[in-house]
Amino acid sequence: MVVAGGAGFLGSHICRRLLADGCEVICLDNFSTGNEENVADLSALPEFTLLRQDVSEPFDIDGDLHAVLHFASPASPVDYLQLPLETLRSGSLGTFNTLELAHRKGARYLLASTSEVYGDPLIHPQHEGYWGNVNPIGPRSVYDEAKRFAEASVMAYHRTRGVDTAIARIFNTYGPHMRAHDGRAIPTFIRQALANEPITVAGTGAQSRSVCYVSDLVEGLVRLLDSGSTGPVNLGNPQEMTVLELAELVRQICGCDVEITFVARPEDDPEQRRPDISLAGELLDWAPEISAEVGLKDTVAWFGERLGQGSERIERFG
Ligand code: NAD
């Protein structure tokens, strides 16, 4: 198996799960937003290989491959706004290069797409038949449109080259191995609460999000990989809450009494997000099992251990 972006948050969990399932894993990463430490514990395993590779550049892999999973892309707004051209390249050239690899090897292909293809959605909850409401020239378009282009590329390789493909539309996912400073709401809230600093909520906090714990997501991804489904299939947790409720929940789990303050909302920030996961239920017999309360407790504990190890380490993870 090749996992492109395997040293990132989601990629590192997928590598771990595939190894636990008995697969050999080749992890490709250019470490732009990921970290070798995310997979450091795997490097001693003979079934695991870590290669520094920018998948937006042409590359090849020796030997047979069962599957190629394309997770290589900056994914948090802070990252993709800092790396706009790299993000467009990962979604376009990176998708072409990984699809070419799957085509050459006769391997199954899985694209990590995103709920951001729905943009600021005009229907709620979002189902796979909805084509989205994306601003093609706004600052976020480098991510949203790159993923939409990536989906189009996957379908073109499927239709014209017969590649066995799957598209997962991943909704907000959280858990251990996120970076404390990646700018996404959950690690930001946890970092602030654990440091006894005010929690900063964007806008009024009335916008909604639905957050999925990483182990549930990985289970859905593995089921999609093992199925014959092309997708796209939504994978996420439909337990919807406002961003303010999320901040309050994190504060309660961290057991601190910090203030919640309000900061400017990013441009084109979606108003609402909730996956319709009936297709994943039908095709994959999948639904998430971990509530936000339980998943956040685990995540807070993980961050707590790392923050306890000193600011130098947090800077490296951050
Ligand atoms: P992440 O930033 O932690 O992981 C991305 C990984 O890809 C990093 O290790 C980075 O170094 C690597 N990478 C980036 N560009 C690369 C390139 N050109 N060549 C090789 N490696 C490259 O982010 P994540 O949250 O783990 O997201 C992983 C994938 O899942 C992304 O494609 C993202 O769009 C998708 N996704 C994530 C979420 C989520 O909630 N976490 C939601 C929707 C979609």
Side-chain angles (χ1 to χ4, degrees), residues 5 7-11 28-34 53-56 71-75 79 90 112-114 143 147 170-173 179 184:
F9 159 52
L10 292 182
L28 306 179
D29 209 294
N30 68 354
F31 308 118
S32 57
T33 60
Q53 175 66 53
D54 182 342
V55 297
S56 301
F71 280 72
S73 169
D79 288 338
S90 299
S113 186
T114 170
Y143 183 67
K147 290 291 185 184
I170 302 169
F171 283 65
N172 290 349
T173 301
R179 279 159 37 238
R184 292 185 259 203

Side-chain angles (χ1 to χ4, degrees), residues 76-78 80-81 115-116 118-122 133-135 138-141 144 172 183-185 189 200-209 241-244 263-273:
S76 85
V78 164
Y80 61 69
L81 295 177
S115 57
E116 302 298 328
Y118 299 125
D120 191 4
L122 303 177
N133 177 38
V134 173
N135 174 357
R140 298 172 70 107
S141 64
D144 304 1
N172 290 349
R184 292 185 259 203
F189 294 167
T200 52
V201 164
T204 62
Q207 66 276 22
S208 77
R209 296 291 181 269
M241 63 184 97
T242 68
V243 172
L244 182 57
V263 295
R265 224 169 131 190
E267 199 175 322
D268 295 331
D269 190 40
E271 203 44 52
Q272 48 188 4
R273 271 274 180 278

Side-chain angles (χ1 to χ4, degrees), residues 40-52:
D41 57 316
L42 307 178
S43 55
L45 300 174
E47 299 82 11
F48 182 74
T49 308
L50 175 62
L51 300 176
R52 180 184 285 270

Side-chain angles (χ1 to χ4, degrees), residues 3 5-16 38 71 112 170-171 173-174 176-177 184 214 217-218 221:
V3 181
F9 159 52
L10 292 182
S12 62
H13 285 278
I14 289 162
C15 288
R16 244 175 226 101
N38 281 337
F71 280 72
I170 302 169
F171 283 65
T173 301
Y174 68 96
H177 295 285
R184 292 185 259 203
V214 64
L217 181 84
V218 168
L221 289 168

Side-chain angles (χ1 to χ4, degrees), residues 53-110:
Q53 175 66 53
D54 182 342
V55 297
S56 301
E57 301 295 335
F59 67 95
D60 204 3
I61 299 287
D62 290 337
D64 293 338
L65 282 179
H66 177 65
V68 176
L69 292 81
H70 181 25
F71 280 72
S73 169
S76 85
V78 164
D79 288 338
Y80 61 69
L81 295 177
Q82 266 171 12
L83 299 167
L85 300 180
E86 291 82 351
T87 304
L88 284 162
R89 286 169 59 83
S90 299
S92 54
L93 299 170
T95 304
F96 264 59
N97 289 334
T98 49
L99 277 164
E100 278 294 331
L101 179 68
H103 184 228
R104 284 197 298 279
K105 302 286 183 182
R108 181 150 167 83
Y109 184 90
L110 189 149

